[in-house]
Amino acid sequence: MNYCANIFRFDLSGLDRIDISRYPDGNTVHYTGIDAFDYYYGFITYWGSSIVAWFRDFSWQIQVSFAVILICILTMIVVAVRFYKNIKKTRAFEKEVADATEKYRDAFYSVLIQPDEPTIEEMEKLCGDTVDTIREYSPNVYSTILSSLRLELSEITLLPNVNFLCRFTGVTQFYEQNLINKRDILSTLQNIVTMSLRISEGLLAVYINHHNTNIRHMARMAYIICTETEPYRYLEEDLQEPQALWRPMMLHRLFGWLKETERQMPQFLVLASIMKDETTAAFLIEEIAYWGSPKEKSTVKDFFLSPMFKCRQSALRVVALLCDETQESAIIDSYEHQTDSLRCECLKAVSAINSGRQTQFFVDAYYGTSSKQIRECALSCMYNYGAEGRRRFEMMRTEIAGDQMGINLLNQIDSMAVLNQMRNF
Protein backbone atom coordinates (compact mmCIF):
# COMPACT_ATOMS: atom_id res chain seq x y z
CA MET A 1 0.00 0.00 0.00
CA ASN A 2 2.82 2.36 0.89
CA TYR A 3 4.50 1.37 -2.41
CA CYS A 4 1.46 2.36 -4.45
CA ALA A 5 1.16 5.60 -2.53
CA ASN A 6 4.76 6.44 -3.29
CA ILE A 7 4.22 5.82 -7.01
CA PHE A 8 1.09 7.95 -6.91
CA ARG A 9 2.91 10.77 -5.16
CA PHE A 10 5.73 10.42 -7.72
CA ASP A 11 3.29 10.74 -10.59
CA LEU A 12 1.62 13.79 -9.05
CA SER A 13 4.92 15.49 -8.52
CA GLY A 14 5.81 14.78 -12.16
CA LEU A 15 2.47 16.18 -13.32
CA ASP A 16 2.98 19.28 -11.18
CA ARG A 17 6.31 19.77 -12.88
CA ILE A 18 4.71 19.47 -16.33
CA ASP A 19 1.80 21.76 -15.45
CA ILE A 20 4.01 24.68 -14.44
CA SER A 21 4.47 25.42 -18.14
CA ARG A 22 1.64 27.91 -17.65
CA TYR A 23 0.97 30.68 -15.11
CA PRO A 24 -2.29 30.58 -13.10
CA ASP A 25 -3.69 33.26 -15.39
CA GLY A 26 -3.14 31.00 -18.43
CA ASN A 27 -0.10 32.75 -19.91
CA THR A 28 2.58 30.46 -21.35
CA VAL A 29 5.94 30.11 -19.63
CA HIS A 30 8.94 30.50 -21.97
CA TYR A 31 12.09 28.71 -20.86
CA THR A 32 15.49 29.81 -22.07
CA GLY A 33 19.06 28.73 -21.47
CA ILE A 34 19.66 26.37 -18.56
CA ASP A 35 16.03 26.56 -17.48
CA ALA A 36 14.88 25.27 -20.87
CA PHE A 37 17.39 22.40 -20.68
CA ASP A 38 16.25 21.49 -17.17
CA TYR A 39 12.60 21.56 -18.19
CA TYR A 40 12.83 19.45 -21.34
CA TYR A 41 15.42 17.10 -19.84
CA GLY A 42 13.13 16.59 -16.86
CA PHE A 43 10.21 15.93 -19.19
CA ILE A 44 12.14 13.17 -21.01
CA THR A 45 13.54 11.62 -17.84
CA TYR A 46 10.09 11.60 -16.29
CA TRP A 47 8.55 9.56 -19.09
CA GLY A 48 11.63 7.35 -19.30
CA SER A 49 11.43 6.63 -15.56
CA SER A 50 7.70 5.96 -15.85
CA ILE A 51 8.19 3.42 -18.66
CA VAL A 52 11.02 1.69 -16.79
CA ALA A 53 8.91 1.55 -13.63
CA TRP A 54 6.00 0.12 -15.56
CA PHE A 55 8.14 -2.66 -17.07
CA ARG A 56 10.01 -3.47 -13.90
CA ASP A 57 7.24 -5.75 -12.66
CA PHE A 58 7.19 -7.86 -15.87
CA SER A 59 9.36 -10.91 -16.45
CA TRP A 60 12.62 -10.54 -18.36
CA GLN A 61 11.15 -12.47 -21.32
CA ILE A 62 8.46 -9.82 -21.80
CA GLN A 63 10.99 -7.04 -21.39
CA VAL A 64 13.30 -8.55 -24.00
CA SER A 65 10.42 -9.19 -26.41
CA PHE A 66 9.18 -5.62 -26.09
CA ALA A 67 12.72 -4.30 -26.61
CA VAL A 68 13.13 -6.43 -29.76
CA ILE A 69 9.77 -5.22 -31.11
CA LEU A 70 10.68 -1.63 -30.36
CA ILE A 71 14.05 -2.00 -32.10
CA CYS A 72 12.37 -3.61 -35.14
CA ILE A 73 9.85 -0.76 -35.36
CA LEU A 74 12.59 1.85 -35.18
CA THR A 75 14.66 -0.05 -37.77
CA MET A 76 11.71 -0.31 -40.15
CA ILE A 77 11.09 3.42 -39.78
CA VAL A 78 14.72 4.18 -40.60
CA VAL A 79 14.71 1.78 -43.57
CA ALA A 80 11.44 3.22 -44.88
CA VAL A 81 12.80 6.76 -44.70
CA ARG A 82 16.02 5.78 -46.46
CA PHE A 83 14.07 3.81 -49.08
CA TYR A 84 11.82 6.80 -49.74
CA LYS A 85 14.81 9.11 -50.08
CA ASN A 86 16.53 6.71 -52.49
CA ILE A 87 13.40 6.42 -54.63
CA LYS A 88 13.01 10.19 -54.68
CA LYS A 89 16.67 10.64 -55.58
CA THR A 90 16.51 7.98 -58.32
CA ARG A 91 13.40 9.50 -59.89
CA ALA A 92 14.95 12.95 -59.85
CA PHE A 93 18.07 11.57 -61.53
CA GLU A 94 16.04 9.72 -64.16
CA LYS A 95 14.08 12.89 -64.90
CA GLU A 96 17.31 14.84 -65.27
CA VAL A 97 18.71 12.18 -67.62
CA ALA A 98 15.51 12.23 -69.69
CA ASP A 99 15.63 16.04 -69.99
CA ALA A 100 19.31 16.08 -70.99
CA THR A 101 18.77 13.21 -73.43
CA GLU A 102 15.94 15.03 -75.14
CA LYS A 103 18.06 18.18 -75.49
CA TYR A 104 21.51 16.92 -76.38
CA ARG A 105 21.42 13.25 -77.45
CA ASP A 106 21.22 13.94 -81.20
CA ALA A 107 24.03 16.48 -80.98
CA PHE A 108 26.25 14.07 -79.04
CA TYR A 109 25.47 11.27 -81.49
CA SER A 110 26.48 13.39 -84.49
CA VAL A 111 29.71 14.44 -82.78
CA LEU A 112 30.63 10.84 -81.93
CA ILE A 113 30.26 9.57 -85.50
CA GLN A 114 31.98 12.46 -87.26
CA PRO A 115 35.72 12.08 -87.94
CA ASP A 116 36.84 15.61 -87.00
CA GLU A 117 36.87 17.13 -83.54
CA PRO A 118 34.45 20.09 -83.31
CA THR A 119 35.24 23.46 -81.77
CA ILE A 120 33.46 24.86 -78.72
CA GLU A 121 31.46 27.20 -80.96
CA GLU A 122 30.35 24.28 -83.13
CA MET A 123 29.29 22.34 -80.04
CA GLU A 124 27.20 25.26 -78.82
CA LYS A 125 25.56 25.50 -82.23
CA LEU A 126 24.82 21.77 -82.37
CA CYS A 127 23.40 21.72 -78.84
CA GLY A 128 21.53 24.99 -79.18
CA ASP A 129 22.83 26.20 -75.79
CA THR A 130 25.86 27.90 -74.35
CA VAL A 131 28.60 25.96 -72.60
CA ASP A 132 27.47 27.24 -69.19
CA THR A 133 23.90 26.06 -69.84
CA ILE A 134 25.07 22.66 -71.03
CA ARG A 135 27.21 22.17 -67.93
CA GLU A 136 24.29 22.86 -65.60
CA TYR A 137 23.56 19.14 -65.73
CA SER A 138 25.72 16.92 -63.55
CA PRO A 139 28.54 14.91 -65.18
CA ASN A 140 26.86 11.75 -63.90
CA VAL A 141 23.91 12.51 -66.18
CA TYR A 142 26.18 12.89 -69.21
CA SER A 143 28.05 9.76 -68.21
CA THR A 144 24.80 7.80 -68.44
CA ILE A 145 23.95 9.31 -71.83
CA LEU A 146 27.40 8.74 -73.33
CA SER A 147 27.58 5.18 -72.01
CA SER A 148 24.27 4.32 -73.68
CA LEU A 149 25.43 5.94 -76.94
CA ARG A 150 28.68 3.99 -76.82
CA LEU A 151 26.78 0.73 -76.45
CA GLU A 152 24.47 1.77 -79.27
CA LEU A 153 27.51 2.37 -81.49
CA SER A 154 29.28 -0.81 -80.38
CA GLU A 155 29.76 -1.94 -83.99
CA ILE A 156 32.15 1.02 -84.44
CA THR A 157 35.44 0.10 -82.80
CA LEU A 158 36.92 3.60 -82.65
CA LEU A 159 34.98 6.78 -81.81
CA PRO A 160 37.65 9.49 -82.17
CA ASN A 161 35.61 12.26 -80.50
CA VAL A 162 34.57 10.40 -77.36
CA ASN A 163 37.50 11.83 -75.37
CA PHE A 164 36.66 15.36 -76.49
CA LEU A 165 32.99 14.95 -75.60
CA CYS A 166 33.80 13.53 -72.16
CA ARG A 167 36.13 16.44 -71.43
CA PHE A 168 33.56 18.95 -72.73
CA THR A 169 30.77 17.59 -70.50
CA GLY A 170 33.00 17.06 -67.46
CA VAL A 171 32.67 13.27 -67.55
CA THR A 172 36.43 12.70 -67.62
CA GLN A 173 36.94 14.89 -64.54
CA PHE A 174 33.99 13.12 -62.88
CA TYR A 175 35.63 9.71 -63.42
CA GLU A 176 38.97 10.99 -62.16
CA GLN A 177 37.35 12.34 -58.98
CA ASN A 178 35.63 8.98 -58.47
CA LEU A 179 39.00 7.24 -58.62
CA ILE A 180 40.59 9.78 -56.29
CA ASN A 181 37.75 9.51 -53.77
CA LYS A 182 37.42 5.71 -54.22
CA ARG A 183 33.76 6.01 -55.17
CA ASP A 184 32.02 3.59 -57.59
CA ILE A 185 35.42 2.24 -58.59
CA LEU A 186 34.36 -0.77 -60.64
CA SER A 187 31.65 0.99 -62.65
CA THR A 188 33.97 3.96 -63.24
CA LEU A 189 36.75 1.74 -64.56
CA GLN A 190 34.28 -0.18 -66.66
CA ASN A 191 33.06 3.03 -68.29
CA ILE A 192 36.63 4.16 -68.90
CA VAL A 193 37.45 0.90 -70.69
CA THR A 194 34.15 0.75 -72.60
CA MET A 195 34.56 4.28 -73.92
CA SER A 196 38.37 3.98 -74.29
CA LEU A 197 39.02 7.18 -72.32
CA ARG A 198 42.50 8.51 -71.72
CA ILE A 199 43.04 9.53 -68.08
CA SER A 200 46.12 10.08 -65.98
CA GLU A 201 48.11 6.88 -65.43
CA GLY A 202 48.81 7.90 -61.85
CA LEU A 203 45.13 7.59 -60.94
CA LEU A 204 45.24 3.89 -61.87
CA ALA A 205 48.31 3.11 -59.76
CA VAL A 206 46.24 2.40 -56.64
CA TYR A 207 43.99 -0.07 -58.44
CA ILE A 208 46.46 -1.95 -60.65
CA ASN A 209 47.32 -4.23 -57.70
CA HIS A 210 43.94 -4.05 -55.97
CA HIS A 211 42.87 -7.01 -53.84
CA ASN A 212 39.56 -7.26 -55.73
CA THR A 213 40.15 -9.32 -58.87
CA ASN A 214 37.55 -7.57 -61.05
CA ILE A 215 38.82 -4.11 -60.11
CA ARG A 216 42.42 -5.16 -60.68
CA HIS A 217 41.73 -6.63 -64.12
CA MET A 218 39.62 -3.64 -65.18
CA ALA A 219 42.28 -1.18 -63.99
CA ARG A 220 44.95 -3.00 -65.95
CA MET A 221 42.84 -2.85 -69.11
CA ALA A 222 42.41 0.88 -68.54
CA TYR A 223 46.18 1.08 -68.10
CA ILE A 224 46.65 -0.43 -71.58
CA ILE A 225 44.49 2.37 -73.00
CA CYS A 226 46.14 5.17 -71.06
CA THR A 227 49.81 4.38 -71.64
CA GLU A 228 52.05 3.63 -74.59
CA THR A 229 55.07 2.61 -72.51
CA GLU A 230 54.89 -1.08 -71.65
CA PRO A 231 51.10 -1.34 -72.03
CA TYR A 232 51.17 -5.15 -71.73
CA ARG A 233 53.24 -5.28 -68.56
CA TYR A 234 50.46 -7.06 -66.65
CA LEU A 235 48.66 -8.85 -69.49
CA GLU A 236 50.47 -12.20 -69.18
CA GLU A 237 49.99 -12.24 -65.40
CA ASP A 238 46.27 -11.49 -65.77
CA LEU A 239 45.71 -14.11 -68.43
CA GLN A 240 47.24 -16.79 -66.22
CA GLU A 241 44.52 -16.17 -63.65
CA PRO A 242 40.96 -17.58 -63.89
CA GLN A 243 38.95 -15.40 -66.27
CA ALA A 244 35.48 -14.06 -65.56
CA LEU A 245 32.93 -14.38 -68.38
CA TRP A 246 33.00 -10.65 -69.13
CA ARG A 247 36.78 -10.46 -69.54
CA PRO A 248 37.23 -12.11 -72.98
CA MET A 249 34.53 -9.84 -74.41
CA MET A 250 36.16 -6.73 -72.97
CA LEU A 251 39.59 -7.83 -74.19
CA HIS A 252 38.22 -8.47 -77.68
CA ARG A 253 36.86 -4.91 -77.84
CA LEU A 254 40.10 -3.55 -76.39
CA PHE A 255 42.24 -5.38 -78.97
CA GLY A 256 40.02 -3.97 -81.71
CA TRP A 257 40.54 -0.43 -80.39
CA LEU A 258 44.30 -0.98 -80.24
CA LYS A 259 44.28 -2.18 -83.84
CA GLU A 260 42.24 0.82 -85.02
CA THR A 261 44.54 3.28 -83.25
CA GLU A 262 47.58 1.54 -84.78
CA ARG A 263 49.04 0.68 -81.40
CA GLN A 264 51.49 -2.16 -80.91
CA MET A 265 49.50 -5.39 -80.59
CA PRO A 266 50.35 -8.18 -78.13
CA GLN A 267 52.04 -11.33 -79.41
CA PHE A 268 49.04 -13.66 -79.45
CA LEU A 269 50.87 -16.86 -80.42
CA VAL A 270 53.61 -16.29 -77.86
CA LEU A 271 51.07 -15.69 -75.12
CA ALA A 272 49.00 -18.70 -76.19
CA SER A 273 52.03 -20.97 -76.08
CA ILE A 274 52.79 -20.14 -72.43
CA MET A 275 49.23 -20.21 -71.11
CA LYS A 276 48.45 -22.95 -68.59
CA ASP A 277 44.70 -22.68 -69.02
CA GLU A 278 43.60 -24.06 -72.39
CA THR A 279 40.45 -21.91 -72.54
CA THR A 280 42.53 -18.73 -72.29
CA ALA A 281 45.05 -20.08 -74.79
CA ALA A 282 42.23 -20.95 -77.20
CA PHE A 283 40.80 -17.43 -76.84
CA LEU A 284 44.16 -15.87 -77.74
CA ILE A 285 44.48 -18.09 -80.80
CA GLU A 286 41.02 -17.11 -82.03
CA GLU A 287 41.92 -13.43 -81.65
CA ILE A 288 44.57 -13.93 -84.34
CA ALA A 289 41.83 -14.19 -86.97
CA TYR A 290 40.77 -10.61 -86.14
CA TRP A 291 43.82 -8.73 -84.90
CA GLY A 292 46.85 -10.98 -85.53
CA SER A 293 49.80 -10.05 -87.71
CA PRO A 294 50.25 -11.71 -91.13
CA LYS A 295 53.05 -13.84 -89.69
CA GLU A 296 50.85 -15.06 -86.85
CA LYS A 297 48.01 -15.85 -89.24
CA SER A 298 50.29 -17.91 -91.44
CA THR A 299 51.67 -19.98 -88.54
CA VAL A 300 48.42 -20.94 -86.80
CA LYS A 301 48.94 -24.46 -88.18
CA ASP A 302 51.55 -25.01 -85.45
CA PHE A 303 48.64 -25.54 -83.04
CA PHE A 304 46.83 -28.20 -85.13
CA LEU A 305 48.49 -30.90 -82.99
CA SER A 306 48.72 -28.95 -79.74
CA PRO A 307 48.45 -30.96 -76.48
CA MET A 308 45.46 -28.75 -75.65
CA PHE A 309 42.47 -29.86 -77.70
CA LYS A 310 40.73 -26.50 -77.36
CA CYS A 311 43.76 -24.86 -78.97
CA ARG A 312 43.49 -27.29 -81.88
CA GLN A 313 39.85 -26.40 -82.34
CA SER A 314 40.56 -22.67 -82.22
CA ALA A 315 43.42 -22.96 -84.69
CA LEU A 316 41.21 -24.84 -87.16
CA ARG A 317 38.48 -22.22 -86.79
CA VAL A 318 40.97 -19.42 -87.38
CA VAL A 319 42.10 -20.99 -90.67
CA ALA A 320 38.44 -21.46 -91.63
CA LEU A 321 37.71 -17.78 -90.93
CA LEU A 322 40.78 -16.66 -92.86
CA CYS A 323 40.12 -19.14 -95.72
CA ASP A 324 43.89 -19.61 -95.83
CA GLU A 325 44.55 -22.06 -98.66
CA THR A 326 48.24 -22.31 -97.78
CA GLN A 327 47.38 -24.20 -94.58
CA GLU A 328 44.91 -26.61 -96.18
CA SER A 329 47.42 -29.43 -96.57
CA ALA A 330 48.39 -29.12 -92.88
CA ILE A 331 44.73 -29.61 -91.92
CA ILE A 332 44.47 -32.76 -94.04
CA ASP A 333 47.75 -34.15 -92.67
CA SER A 334 46.55 -33.65 -89.08
CA TYR A 335 43.15 -35.24 -89.71
CA GLU A 336 44.13 -38.78 -88.71
CA HIS A 337 45.51 -37.55 -85.38
CA GLN A 338 42.33 -35.78 -84.28
CA THR A 339 39.37 -36.82 -82.16
CA ASP A 340 35.95 -37.20 -83.79
CA SER A 341 34.83 -33.68 -82.88
CA LEU A 342 38.10 -32.20 -84.13
CA ARG A 343 37.85 -34.22 -87.35
CA CYS A 344 34.56 -32.47 -87.96
CA GLU A 345 36.36 -29.16 -87.43
CA CYS A 346 38.94 -30.23 -90.03
CA LEU A 347 36.19 -31.05 -92.53
CA LYS A 348 34.49 -27.70 -91.90
CA ALA A 349 37.78 -25.81 -92.27
CA VAL A 350 38.57 -27.47 -95.62
CA SER A 351 35.02 -26.74 -96.79
CA ALA A 352 35.35 -23.07 -95.73
CA ILE A 353 38.64 -22.69 -97.61
CA ASN A 354 36.79 -24.08 -100.66
CA SER A 355 39.79 -24.54 -102.93
CA GLY A 356 37.83 -27.06 -105.03
CA ARG A 357 40.64 -29.65 -104.90
CA GLN A 358 39.67 -31.67 -101.83
CA THR A 359 36.44 -33.42 -102.81
CA GLN A 360 38.08 -36.79 -102.39
CA PHE A 361 39.05 -35.83 -98.86
CA PHE A 362 35.36 -35.71 -97.91
CA VAL A 363 34.69 -39.03 -99.65
CA ASP A 364 37.56 -40.70 -97.79
CA ALA A 365 36.36 -39.20 -94.51
CA TYR A 366 32.90 -40.68 -95.11
CA TYR A 367 34.11 -44.17 -95.90
CA GLY A 368 36.93 -44.16 -93.35
CA THR A 369 34.78 -43.95 -90.21
CA SER A 370 31.86 -45.58 -88.49
CA SER A 371 30.90 -42.37 -86.65
CA LYS A 372 27.53 -40.99 -87.72
CA GLN A 373 28.68 -37.52 -86.66
CA ILE A 374 31.69 -37.56 -89.02
CA ARG A 375 29.70 -39.12 -91.88
CA GLU A 376 27.03 -36.46 -91.62
CA CYS A 377 29.62 -33.68 -91.45
CA ALA A 378 31.53 -35.09 -94.45
CA LEU A 379 28.39 -35.27 -96.59
CA SER A 380 27.28 -31.76 -95.55
CA CYS A 381 30.68 -30.31 -96.43
CA MET A 382 30.69 -32.21 -99.72
CA TYR A 383 27.24 -30.87 -100.59
CA ASN A 384 28.41 -27.26 -100.06
CA TYR A 385 31.81 -27.73 -101.76
CA GLY A 386 30.95 -26.10 -105.06
CA ALA A 387 29.82 -27.82 -108.27
CA GLU A 388 32.34 -30.64 -107.98
CA GLY A 389 31.26 -31.41 -104.45
CA ARG A 390 27.57 -31.44 -105.43
CA ARG A 391 28.30 -33.79 -108.33
CA ARG A 392 30.21 -36.17 -106.09
CA PHE A 393 27.40 -35.97 -103.52
CA GLU A 394 24.88 -37.19 -106.11
CA MET A 395 27.24 -39.99 -107.18
CA MET A 396 27.22 -41.23 -103.59
CA ARG A 397 23.56 -42.20 -104.00
CA THR A 398 24.59 -44.97 -106.41
CA GLU A 399 27.64 -46.04 -104.43
CA ILE A 400 25.75 -46.56 -101.15
CA ALA A 401 22.48 -47.76 -102.63
CA GLY A 402 22.53 -50.80 -100.35
CA ASP A 403 23.10 -48.74 -97.19
CA GLN A 404 19.67 -47.53 -96.10
CA MET A 405 21.10 -45.43 -93.25
CA GLY A 406 23.46 -43.71 -95.68
CA ILE A 407 20.62 -43.05 -98.15
CA ASN A 408 18.50 -41.54 -95.37
CA LEU A 409 21.41 -39.33 -94.38
CA LEU A 410 21.84 -38.13 -97.97
CA ASN A 411 18.14 -37.34 -98.29
CA GLN A 412 18.14 -35.55 -94.96
CA ILE A 413 21.07 -33.31 -95.93
CA ASP A 414 19.54 -32.62 -99.33
CA SER A 415 16.19 -31.67 -97.76
CA MET A 416 17.78 -29.41 -95.16
CA ALA A 417 19.76 -27.63 -97.88
CA VAL A 418 16.59 -27.03 -99.90
CA LEU A 419 14.79 -25.67 -96.83
CA ASN A 420 17.67 -23.30 -96.09
CA GLN A 421 17.62 -22.05 -99.68
CA MET A 422 13.87 -21.41 -99.42
CA ARG A 423 14.32 -19.51 -96.15
CA ASN A 424 17.03 -17.32 -97.64
CA PHE A 425 15.10 -16.67 -100.85
Side-chain angles (χ1 to χ4, degrees):
M1 189 70 182
N2 292 333
Y3 174 72
C4 295
N6 290 333
I7 295 177
F8 181 71
R9 283 196 298 273
F10 173 78
D11 290 343
L12 288 177
S13 62
L15 290 173
D16 289 342
R17 184 166 48 181
I18 295 173
D19 288 340
I20 64 171
S21 60
R22 289 180 179 273
Y23 288 112
D25 59 359
N27 295 324
T28 303
V29 179
H30 296 284
Y31 294 98
T32 59
I34 298 177
D35 293 334
F37 175 79
D38 290 341
Y39 171 73
Y40 291 110
Y41 177 74
F43 180 82
I44 294 171
T45 54
Y46 163 72
W47 284 109
S49 300
S50 298
I51 293 172
V52 171
W54 184 58
F55 270 90
R56 191 171 296 157
D57 293 334
F58 292 103
S59 64
W60 68 269
Q61 292 91 342
I62 295 177
Q63 294 177 13
V64 170
S65 300
F66 182 82
V68 170
I69 292 172
L70 186 61
I71 291 172
C72 290
I73 291 172
L74 294 175
T75 303
M76 289 300 298
I77 292 172
V78 172
V79 170
V81 170
R82 290 176 62 91
F83 186 68
Y84 172 76
K85 288 183 177 180
N86 287 337
I87 290 177
K88 189 175 180 181
K89 183 178 179 182
T90 301
R91 288 180 177 174
F93 178 76
E94 290 175 350
K95 185 178 183 299
E96 193 176 4
V97 170
D99 292 341
T101 301
E102 184 179 357
K103 288 182 179 179
Y104 306 125
R105 181 193 177 281
D106 293 339
F108 290 172
Y109 184 92
S110 62
V111 170
L112 287 174
I113 61 176
Q114 71 182 34
D116 301 323
E117 182 177 304
T119 62
I120 300 298
E121 291 76 15
E122 290 173 340
M123 280 298 304
E124 290 180 336
K125 185 177 180 180
L126 283 170
C127 295
D129 282 323
T130 62
V131 174
D132 294 335
T133 304
I134 294 171
R135 290 178 178 171
E136 287 179 358
Y137 290 97
S138 69
N140 194 16
V141 171
Y142 290 125
S143 170
T144 304
I145 297 172
L146 292 176
S147 296
S148 64
L149 285 173
R150 185 64 187 94
L151 293 177
E152 185 178 335
L153 296 169
S154 58
E155 73 280 359
I156 303 176
T157 306
L158 175 63
L159 296 175
N161 292 326
V162 69
N163 278 279
F164 163 79
L165 203 52
C166 287
R167 291 194 304 271
F168 177 78
T169 55
V171 172
T172 301
Q173 296 87 337
F174 172 69
Y175 289 158
E176 290 177 344
Q177 284 299 317
N178 282 352
L179 295 178
I180 292 172
N181 298 327
K182 298 182 180 181
R183 182 177 62 242
D184 298 330
I185 300 170
L186 184 59
S187 61
T188 299
L189 291 171
Q190 185 177 2
N191 287 334
I192 290 172
V193 175
T194 301
M195 292 191 280
S196 303
L197 292 182
R198 300 289 298 272
I199 64 171
S200 173
E201 299 174 30
L203 297 176
L204 300 172
V206 180
Y207 306 106
I208 283 176
N209 295 305
H210 200 273
H211 63 87
N212 184 289
T213 304
N214 289 334
I215 292 177
R216 182 172 68 251
H217 286 173
M218 198 66 74
R220 291 181 177 185
M221 282 193 285
Y223 178 79
I224 293 174
I225 295 171
C226 299
T227 184
E228 295 186 13
T229 58
E230 294 188 86
Y232 308 116
R233 180 189 303 177
Y234 307 103
L235 184 59
E236 179 185 342
E237 178 185 341
D238 288 348
L239 291 173
Q240 294 287 12
E241 298 179 7
Q243 305 296 308
L245 292 176
W246 57 266
R247 187 161 164 76
M249 294 185 289
M250 296 291 288
L251 283 173
H252 180 75
R253 289 175 57 89
L254 177 58
F255 292 149
W257 180 84
L258 292 169
K259 189 74 172 180
E260 287 288 331
T261 54
E262 299 181 352
R263 299 272 289 273
Q264 179 66 38
M265 300 298 294
Q267 301 296 315
F268 293 109
L269 284 182
V270 175
L271 289 172
S273 64
I274 60 177
M275 287 295 113
K276 298 177 182 178
D277 181 73
E278 62 176 337
T279 302
T280 305
F283 161 73
L284 291 169
I285 292 171
E286 290 187 9
E287 291 298 285
I288 294 172
Y290 305 98
W291 327 117
S293 64
K295 183 178 179 180
E296 288 179 318
K297 292 177 180 179
S298 64
T299 55
V300 174
K301 59 186 178 183
D302 295 342
F303 285 87
F304 287 168
L305 296 176
S306 170
M308 300 180 180
F309 284 175
K310 286 186 178 180
C311 292
R312 297 187 187 188
Q313 183 182 52
S314 295
L316 291 167
R317 289 178 177 176
V318 167
V319 175
L321 286 171
L322 297 174
C323 298
D324 189 355
E325 195 173 331
T326 61
Q327 302 186 67
E328 187 178 58
S329 59
I331 296 174
I332 296 171
D333 293 341
S334 69
Y335 179 81
E336 294 298 329
H337 305 283
Q338 308 290 3
T339 62
D340 285 355
S341 60
L342 290 174
R343 286 183 177 183
C344 288
E345 292 292 339
C346 290
L347 293 168
K348 293 175 183 177
V350 172
S351 177
I353 293 171
N354 200 18
S355 65
R357 299 189 301 269
Q358 304 300 336
T359 305
Q360 190 59 39
F361 172 65
F362 301 122
V363 176
D364 294 340
Y366 177 84
Y367 285 114
T369 184
S370 59
S371 170
K372 182 177 181 295
Q373 178 188 12
I374 296 177
R375 285 188 170 189
E376 182 179 354
C377 185
L379 289 175
S380 297
C381 292
M382 189 190 306
Y383 187 93
N384 297 311
Y385 199 64
E388 178 62 23
R390 185 70 61 83
R391 187 185 68 82
R392 193 67 181 84
F393 180 88
E394 296 300 331
M395 289 175 60
M396 293 285 289
R397 296 183 184 277
T398 305
E399 296 176 7
I400 62 174
D403 182 4
Q404 188 59 43
M405 185 179 293
I407 293 295
N408 291 339
L409 195 56
L410 284 168
N411 292 334
Q412 179 183 354
I413 292 170
D414 199 8
S415 300
M416 290 298 297
V418 172
L419 285 174
N420 288 332
Q421 289 174 5
M422 293 175 66
R423 287 171 184 167
N424 297 328
F425 181 71

